[in-house]
Amino acid sequence: MVKKVRCSQIYKQQKLETMSNQIEKSGSNIASAFSSSAGFEQTKCREMIAKMILAHELPFSLVEYHWFNEFMKYNSPRYQKVSKATIIKDCIRVVEAEREKLKKVLQNVDMIALTSDYWTSNQTIGYMCLTAHFIDSNWKKQKCIIGFIELAPPHSGEFVSDGILECLIK
């Protein structure tokens, strides 16, 4: 009779054996086998995770995935798991900090062209995206999204102007 073994069971066993061999070779415990995280800062790590989530449009629940946390622990044993709610707050802080940086950049720009784009989702929710276009101090063309809001239909002039004003006030 052939015994069925799951691939995950084999993987776990191999991983444990590999770690045990590394520890035996170093002649010490697990903590010293992974002592390369001397410069680790949990707050900087959380900020970088938030930026990664925002830049790549990843789900906030990423921080709760088992293998994400295994990866982070492997790279730094001092990493502490964070919750979805915590990373959402971190993402909001990153967005607010980036908004403040953008405001400082735009204060030094003489002229800005605004473009707006409107669309309706599959759930019939209307959205507006407001983009600023400008030439920076190095004479390079720049563009950045300065607002992304839900916009109630109809997308008439009055509603659009209110939406643009809302984005500019933020």
Side-chain angles (χ1 to χ4, degrees), residues 81-100:
K81 183 179 176 181
V82 296
S83 69
K84 181 178 169 181
T86 299
I87 206 66
I88 289 171
K89 290 175 188 171
D90 290 345
C91 286
I92 291 169
R93 268 194 287 281
V94 166
V95 168
E96 288 171 353
E98 291 298 318
R99 182 178 288 133
E100 290 305 312

Side-chain angles (χ1 to χ4, degrees), residues 28-43:
S28 61
N29 62 21
I30 292 175
S32 65
F34 299 104
S35 62
S36 63
S37 62
F40 178 79
E41 292 180 37
Q42 179 73 13
T43 54

Side-chain angles (χ1 to χ4, degrees), residues 1-48:
M1 179 173 197
V2 177
K3 181 179 177 184
K4 289 185 178 180
V5 179
R6 296 178 66 180
C7 291
S8 60
Q9 291 171 329
I10 294 170
Y11 174 76
K12 286 178 187 177
Q13 184 60 36
Q14 288 174 342
K15 183 178 172 187
L16 288 173
E17 288 172 7
T18 303
M19 288 178 69
S20 297
N21 290 339
Q22 287 175 345
I23 293 167
E24 285 174 19
K25 286 179 186 176
S26 71
S28 61
N29 62 21
I30 292 175
S32 65
F34 299 104
S35 62
S36 63
S37 62
F40 178 79
E41 292 180 37
Q42 179 73 13
T43 54
K44 181 66 177 171
C45 183
R46 283 177 38 193
E47 178 187 345
M48 292 181 75

Side-chain angles (χ1 to χ4, degrees), residues 94-113:
V94 166
V95 168
E96 288 171 353
E98 291 298 318
R99 182 178 288 133
E100 290 305 312
K101 286 181 195 176
L102 180 60
K103 283 180 183 179
K104 288 178 184 174
V105 168
L106 292 177
Q107 285 176 348
N108 299 322
V109 175
D110 291 329
M111 290 189 257
I112 300 171

Side-chain angles (χ1 to χ4, degrees), residues 82 95-96 105 121 123 140 150 158:
V82 296
V95 168
E96 288 171 353
V105 168
S121 71
Q123 295 84 20
K140 293 196 179 186
E150 190 175 321
E158 186 178 336

